[in-house]
């Protein structure tokens, strides 16, 4: 199967500081890949490189085989991004926000009813979807973010600590949604601190340290405890 | 505790590159305005002193002539520039400078400098006063708008609150920090300006300057308090900044124009032509609700005769004496007419200025602008005082000439000629600006408004900071 | 794509209470300024009309008196004799020269409240010429503060309104975090900014045009006259050009990527630099480059010259009136002739200074015409004065036409004095009349057009700066 997200010798430096040392990574359709690591390990840099928000110093980030640096707009057709806080226009309703971003993504044909249906699938009640976003909780905004990814028909999902600050129930719901999307063939790259959650949903886990991917493993045959042990071992200098 | 906060604020501000840039710009403009203003003021002073002595020489050297003809010939006086015009030129560019004192006429000062300018002058001069009134408040706003809200956004406010410091201590510290920063910038300039004035040997001016500096300090205090109150009250730094810029725009741009517009509407002035026409026709006929011209002059001349002990003895007097007294009676009648018409216009103008003082309730800038002009001696009150003193001098001069005619003409009558001895007897006119306490009395409404702003803004800052949300 | 961005922008704008508040405040300021301006103009116009009516009846009465005295064949009293060229030229037939109000006079008071837009013309020399003062006196603080006219509203307040509405055009999206989500879509930053800016720009232009045009409604009847339509067009173009300049400045600073607060401070700093500081500096430059002569010294100069001639002059005037009162017409006219000669001698002395005033002022204005391009605010200030007919150029033309007319006026009377002629009723019918000739409309059009260019060029520079920055970056961070 072809990789939807692919990093080839991806490197990012800020002056003398190396944020990312030649990362090689490949995530296939339907796969969930969790990036673990301390703050400043290079997780967010990796995601921003895939988004094209920053330009790589060397190597390339590819989405469905296209280089982000040279195909900035085309690659964005295929991805969706959910940051730690999905920030929306507070004066617009959830539906209006979703409509706006979906139209920007070039999916005009869905229509209001379709959008409401997608929001419902993402777990947002229809009446809530018609209210202004200024009154939304963080969990509700993250659901709109998922809905944006669904409506867009993204083939790859980039998530930057999307569950931090969510309560366990919200976090659990969010994981379910991710799993269902990956079952539909979406490749997911998620930066997170949540070892437990990564094990629950993740097919693969990567541990980053000082801009390098120091470990990469499947989680099916590991227990939570094993995973935490490995993680902490890597955190020791 | 307050000191600790103040020092922290000061340190933060001094390390801010944006502040350093803005402060350098404001300081540069202020210094340039002061130097330029000083040089201009000195040049004006030299020019008017020279002109005054030439005018005096023209009076004393006018040759032998009849004293009443000499009164017609008259004398020019020139208004000295305001004592602190280099700090605040105020309304001086729009006020007349030269005034002719002559018999039968009360002139208004002519030749306002603005008449010989281009439209660019209407933007207002970039004087030290303009820098202090417009730019420094903006600097304070730029420094202080995030004082509270920024701490809240960064989360440091939570930590401050957790230390158990009283909000008003924090507030005092922040205010002190801002004030110290500003003082670092302005106090050296103020010292140099004071030293220059003292070195020029004008101690009365130094007293005015001291009060002026105090007034500006109070004004800056108001702006600091308003800034801190808005910063504590606003939801975000951005909102605080926009609200403060709105405040600045309304108080410095909109309110002054609306106030002067309202003053002009409430107290309309006649056209110059109408005023001249009114004076002309009243001189010819008589004051409204008064005696007709001839009877009025008759009454006045009877009173003069009585005063000089000649009542009832007209027939025995020589013609010249009678004529001299009649000339004086006519002059007194004219004076009454001038007092009536010109006095009314001047009073209306003074009332318009008074409206400005009351309007300061909506703008502290208006209060400081009026106070600054008044203390610099460049406001309408000083102009009016100059006009009054010159008019009193004119009346004295004309009276002295008529008196000489009456006493000494004798049989020669209109052929009688006085000489330079008489011209020299008239002491040169010297304008005496009001003392500081008089200026402050004239500006009591503006002072009260500034005080009101100081109290109100401080109270607002204290109340808002007490109720401020930490999160 | 642009339309999608623009549509969300409309929704966002309409939901913002501050937008409505600011728009209403601006509309109120414009309405107030338009209203007061048109009222002041109406008062001035009325004063001019009544002054001219009064003058007409005065001249008619004089003419009638002349006819009567010709019929009787007897001279009137000295000082009141309609046949005496000295008295008639100096006093009885004194002419008012009034600068007519332009169709758009309500837009800007300009220099009208300072410069004498009405002058009483007699045979006395230019330095003895007095403003006839057909406009209301104004207190010094009022002159110093300036009027709350449309020129002020558009030059000073409109930029601030634009700043409030656009300082966080892009920075707010960045700070709110929405920009990252937008840019995760297949949309370039340039498209997004263009969509937002285009909508606001179009709205801004629309609102400005409507407000600027509505504000002149009270002057609508006058706009149908003369060059009213041309002035209106230029005025609206200047206001819109100026609005676009500020809008471009706001967009450019947003694109540069600072925080909202920094944007606001930078824009207000720019406002201060262009509307307050730069004009102050230009003023100093103009004054230093071409300082006007001293009025104070002029007073003493004319005084000294006068006192030399005065003795002679007053003796002559006494002789003249004595002679007129008597029957000897010849000696009266001879005396009159000598008065004229003495008067011309006096004026000859003062002429260099009077010329210096005029040349320095013209030089100042010429320099200002160049330096105005340093700040769009100065450009607008000058242009507003031009379209309102209260600008320096028109007032200068008025002054020089008055000078020319006065020369004609004096020549008319002095020729008769020199020729020992008394005035006849035919002379009265042929008295010169002052009529102000407007400059060719193309001249005004070019000057204001150059000003428009002075607005357009910096606007285009700002736009191209924004375009270059946008092309280079697509970062939301």
């Amino acid at each position: 199967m072809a990789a939807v997200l692919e990093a080839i010798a991806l490197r990012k430096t800020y002056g003398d500081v190396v944020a990312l040392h030649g990362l090689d990574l490949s995530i296939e359709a339907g796969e969930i890949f969790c990036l673990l690591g301390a703050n400043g390990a290079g997780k967010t840099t990796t995601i921003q490189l895939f988004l094209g928000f920053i330009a790589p110093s060397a190597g390339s980030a590819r989405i469905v085989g296209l280089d982000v640096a040279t195909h900035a707009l085309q690659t964005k057709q295929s991805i969706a991004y959910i940051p730690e806080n999905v920030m929306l226009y507070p004066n617009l309703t959830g539906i209006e926000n979703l409509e706006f971003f979906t139209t920007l993504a070039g999916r005009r044909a869905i229509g209001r009813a379709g959008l409401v249906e997608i929001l419902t699938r993402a777990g947002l009640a229809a009446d809530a979807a018609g209210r202004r976003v200024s009154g939304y909780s963080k969990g509700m905004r993250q659901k709109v973010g998922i809905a944006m990814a669904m409506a867009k028909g993204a083939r790859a999902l980039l998530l930057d600590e999307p569950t931090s600050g969510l309560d366990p129930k919200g976090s659990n719901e969010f994981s379910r949604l991710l799993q269902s999307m990956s079952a539909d063939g979406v490749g997911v790259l998620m930066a997170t601190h949540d070892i437990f959650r990564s094990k629950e949903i993740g097919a693969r886990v990567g541990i980053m340290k000082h801009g390098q991917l120091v470990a990469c493993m499947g989680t099916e045959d590991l227990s939570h405890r094993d995973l935490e042990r490995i993680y902490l071992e890597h955190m020791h200098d | 505790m307050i000191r600790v906060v103040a020092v922290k604020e000061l340190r933060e501000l001094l390390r801010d590159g944006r502040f350093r840039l803005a402060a350098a710009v404001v300081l540069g403009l202020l210094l340039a305005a002061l130097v330029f203003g000083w040089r201009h003021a000195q040049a004006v002073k030299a020019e008017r002193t020279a002109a005054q002595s030439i005018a005096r020489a023209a009076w004393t050297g006018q040759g032998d002539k009849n004293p009443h003809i000499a009164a017609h010939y008259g004398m020019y006086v020139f208004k000295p520039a305001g004592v602190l015009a280099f700090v605040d030129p105020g309304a001086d560019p729009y006020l007349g400078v030269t005034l002719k004192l002559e018999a039968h006429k009360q002139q208004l000062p002519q030749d306002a400098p603005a008449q010989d300018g281009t439209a660019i002058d209407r933007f207002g001069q970039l004087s030290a006063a303009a820098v202090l009134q417009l730019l420094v408040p903006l600097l304070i706003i730029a420094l202080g708008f995030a004082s509270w809200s920024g701490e809240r956004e960064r989360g440091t406010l939570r930590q401050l609150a957790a230390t158990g410091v009283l909000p008003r201590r924090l507030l005092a510290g922040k205010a002190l920090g801002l004030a110290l920063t500003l003082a670092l910038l302005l106090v050296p300039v103020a010292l140099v300006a004071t030293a220059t004035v003292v070195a020029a040997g004008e101690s009365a001016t130094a007293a005015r300057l001291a009060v002026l500096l105090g007034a500006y300090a109070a004004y800056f205090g108001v702006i600091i308090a308003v800034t801190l109150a808005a910063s504590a009250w606003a939801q975000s730094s951005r909102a605080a900044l926009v609200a403060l810029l709105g405040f600045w725009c309304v108080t410095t741009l909109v309110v002054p124009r609306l106030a002067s517009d309202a003053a002009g509407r409430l107290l309309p002035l006649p056209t110059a032509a109408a005023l001249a026409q009114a004076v002309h026709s009243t001189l010819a006929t008589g004051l409204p609700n008064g005696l007709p011209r001839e009877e009025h002059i008759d009454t006045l001349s009877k009173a003069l005769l009585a005063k000089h002990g000649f009542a009832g003895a007209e027939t025995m007097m020589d013609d010249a004496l009678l004529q001299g007294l009649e000339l004086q009676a006519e002059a007194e009648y004219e004076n009454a007419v001038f007092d009536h018409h010109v006095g009314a216009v001047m009073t209306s103008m003074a009332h318009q200025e008074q409206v400005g003082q009351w309007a300061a309730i909506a703008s502290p800038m208006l209060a400081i602008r009026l106070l600054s002009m008044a203390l610099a001696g460049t406001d309408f009150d000083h102009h009016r005082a100059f006009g009054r003193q010159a008019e009193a001098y004119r009346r004295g001069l004309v009276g002295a000439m008529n008196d000489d005619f009456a006493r000494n003409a004798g049989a020669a009558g209109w052929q009688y000629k006085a000489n330079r001895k008489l011209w020299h007897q008239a002491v040169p006119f010297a304008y005496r600006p009001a003392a500081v306490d008089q200026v402050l009395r004239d500006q009591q409404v503006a002072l009260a408004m500034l005080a009101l702003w100081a109290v109100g803004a401080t109270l607002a800052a204290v109340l808002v900071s007490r109720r401020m949300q930490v999160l | 794509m642009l339309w999608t961005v623009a549509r969300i922008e409309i929704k966002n704008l309409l939901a913002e209470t501050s937008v409505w508040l600011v728009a209403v405040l601006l509309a109120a300021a414009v309405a107030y300024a338009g209203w007061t301006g048109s009222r002041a103009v109406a008062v001035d116009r009325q004063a001019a009309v009544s002054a001219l009516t009064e003058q007409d009846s005065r001249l008619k009465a004089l003419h009638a008196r002349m006819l009567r005295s010709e019929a009787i064949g007897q001279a009137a009293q000295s000082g009141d004799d309609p046949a005496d060229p000295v008295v008639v030229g100096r006093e009885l037939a004194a002419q008012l020269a009034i600068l007519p109000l332009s169709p758009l006079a309500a837009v800007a008071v300009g220099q009208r409240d300072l410069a004498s837009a009405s002058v009483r013309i007699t045979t006395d020399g230019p330095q003895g010429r007095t403003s006839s003062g057909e406009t209301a006196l104004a207190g010094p603080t009022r002159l110093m503060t300036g009027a709350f006219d449309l020129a002020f509203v558009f030059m000073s307040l409109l930029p601030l309104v634009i700043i409030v509405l656009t300082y966080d055009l892009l920075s707010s999206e960045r700070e709110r975090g929405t920009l990252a989500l937008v840019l995760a879509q297949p949309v370039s930053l340039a498209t997004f900014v263009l969509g937002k800016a285009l909508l606001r720009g179009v709205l801004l232009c629309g609102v400005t045009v409507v407000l600027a045009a509505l504000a002149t409604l009270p002057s609508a009847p006058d706009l149908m006259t003369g060059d009213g339509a041309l002035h209106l067009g230029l005025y609206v173009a200047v206001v819109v050009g100026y609005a676009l300049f500020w809008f471009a400045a706001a967009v450019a600073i947003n694109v540069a990527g600072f925080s909202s607060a920094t944007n606001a401070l930078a824009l207000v700093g720019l406002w201060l630099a262009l509307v307050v500081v730069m004009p102050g500096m230009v003023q100093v430059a103009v004054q230093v480059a071409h300082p006007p002569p001293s009025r104070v010294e002029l007073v003493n100069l004319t005084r000294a010259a006068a006192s030399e001639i005065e003795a002679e002059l007053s003796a002559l005037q006494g002789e003249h009136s004595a002679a007129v009162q008597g029957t000897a017409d010849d000696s009266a006219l001879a005396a009159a002739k000598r008065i004229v000669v003495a008067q011309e001698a006096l004026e000859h002395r003062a002429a260099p200074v009077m010329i210096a005033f005029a040349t320095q002022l013209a030089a100042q204005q010429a320099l200002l015409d160049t330096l105005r391009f340093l700040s769009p605010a100065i450009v607008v200030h000058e242009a507003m004065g031009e379209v309102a007919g209260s600008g320096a150029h028109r007032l200068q033309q008025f002054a020089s036409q008055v000078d020319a007319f006065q020369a004609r006026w004096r020549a008319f009377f002095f020729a008769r004095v020199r020729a020992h002629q008394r005035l006849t009723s035919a002379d009265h019918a042929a008295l010169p009349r002052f009529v102000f000739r407007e400059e060719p409309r193309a001249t005004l059009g070019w000057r204001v057009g150059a000003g428009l260019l002075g607005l357009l060029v910096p606007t285009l520079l700002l736009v191209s700066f924004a375009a270059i920055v946008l092309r280079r970056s697509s970062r939301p961070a």
Side-chain angles (χ1 to χ4, degrees), chain A residues 101-118:
Chain A
F101 285 105
T102 317
T103 320
L104 280 187
R107 305 289 156 112
R108 245 169 252 269
I110 296 175
R112 280 262 161 161
L115 291 174
V116 174
E117 196 252 305
I118 290 172

Side-chain angles (χ1 to χ4, degrees), chain B residues 18 36 47 51 73-74 90 116 119 121-123 125 138 238 242 248 257 260-261 265 270-273 353 369, chain C residues 32 36 110-111 113 132-133 137 141-143 145 147 152 167-168 260 262 283-284 294-296 300 303 381:
Chain B
R18 281 181 306 183
F36 207 83
E47 175 193 278
Y73 176 70
D116 296 314
D121 296 348
R122 306 310 289 278
F123 277 92
Q125 272 179 352
L138 214 53
R238 234 177 64 186
V242 170
W248 177 84
R257 288 196 187 229
S260 74
D261 224 45
R265 205 179 298 283
T271 65
E353 303 294 309
R369 191 174 79 166
Chain C
Y32 178 77
T36 46
Q111 295 288 83
D113 54 355
S132 84
L137 291 168
T141 310
R142 188 166 159 70
L143 291 174
T145 313
F152 161 72
Y167 76 99
D168 60 351
S260 294
T262 307
Q283 185 193 350
V284 170
S294 160
R295 286 267 171 200
V296 168
N300 279 323
R303 183 93 162 149
H381 190 255

Side-chain angles (χ1 to χ4, degrees), chain B residues 345-402:
Chain B
V345 169
M346 287 294 148
T347 309
S348 286
M349 281 193 186
H351 284 163
Q352 285 188 353
E353 303 294 309
Q354 199 72 23
V355 170
Q357 290 195 36
W358 283 104
I361 199 161
S363 159
M365 184 270 190
L366 211 44
I368 190 66
R369 191 174 79 166
L370 288 165
L371 277 171
S372 172
M373 271 162 60
L375 287 163
T378 53
D379 67 340
F380 178 71
D381 280 339
H382 281 76
H383 182 72
R384 194 183 184 200
F386 168 78
R388 274 187 178 150
Q389 289 177 25
E391 176 62 11
Y393 180 82
R394 180 187 79 85
R395 291 178 185 184
L397 185 73
V398 171
M401 293 301 122
N402 290 340

Side-chain angles (χ1 to χ4, degrees), chain A residues 53-132:
Chain A
F53 290 176
I54 51 179
S57 309
S60 70
R62 299 187 176 189
I63 291 165
V64 292
L66 294 170
D67 193 330
V68 173
T70 51
H71 299 81
L73 294 188
Q74 285 100 309
T75 52
K76 281 176 189 159
Q77 304 272 12
S78 321
I79 53 166
Y81 169 54
I82 300 181
E84 180 177 355
N85 258 309
V86 173
M87 298 310 293
L88 303 165
Y89 295 97
N91 285 325
L92 307 181
T93 65
I95 301 174
E96 285 172 331
N97 268 291
L98 181 60
E99 185 183 25
F100 171 62
F101 285 105
T102 317
T103 320
L104 280 187
R107 305 289 156 112
R108 245 169 252 269
I110 296 175
R112 280 262 161 161
L115 291 174
V116 174
E117 196 252 305
I118 290 172
L119 279 169
T120 324
R121 255 203 292 150
L124 200 65
D127 62 328
R131 283 205 305 268
R132 287 197 179 192

Side-chain angles (χ1 to χ4, degrees), chain A residues 221-236:
Chain A
D221 14 301
L222 287 174
S223 70
H224 292 131
R225 189 152 303 206
D226 293 338
L227 188 56
E228 182 167 30
R229 187 176 43 79
I230 297 170
Y231 178 78
L232 289 176
E233 274 170 13
H234 279 291
M235 289 302 108
H236 279 293

Side-chain angles (χ1 to χ4, degrees), chain C residues 413-476:
Chain C
F413 289 98
F414 287 1
R416 282 156 181 80
V417 172
R418 284 208 190 82
H420 287 229
Q421 285 173 353
R422 287 172 58 81
L423 295 176
T424 63
S425 57
D427 288 332
H428 274 268
L431 283 180
R433 285 298 180 100
F434 180 81
V435 179
F436 180 70
R437 291 182 317 281
E438 299 282 355
E439 69 178 337
R441 64 174 63 169
T443 322
L444 175 92
W446 280 117
R447 264 203 320 271
V448 179
L452 274 172
L453 215 58
L455 296 176
L456 198 64
V457 169
T459 308
L460 288 179
L461 285 179
L462 287 167
V463 169
S464 32
F465 166 78
I468 290 169
V469 174
L470 276 177
R471 187 162 297 177
R472 280 194 190 157
S473 78
S474 56
R475 276 170 292 134

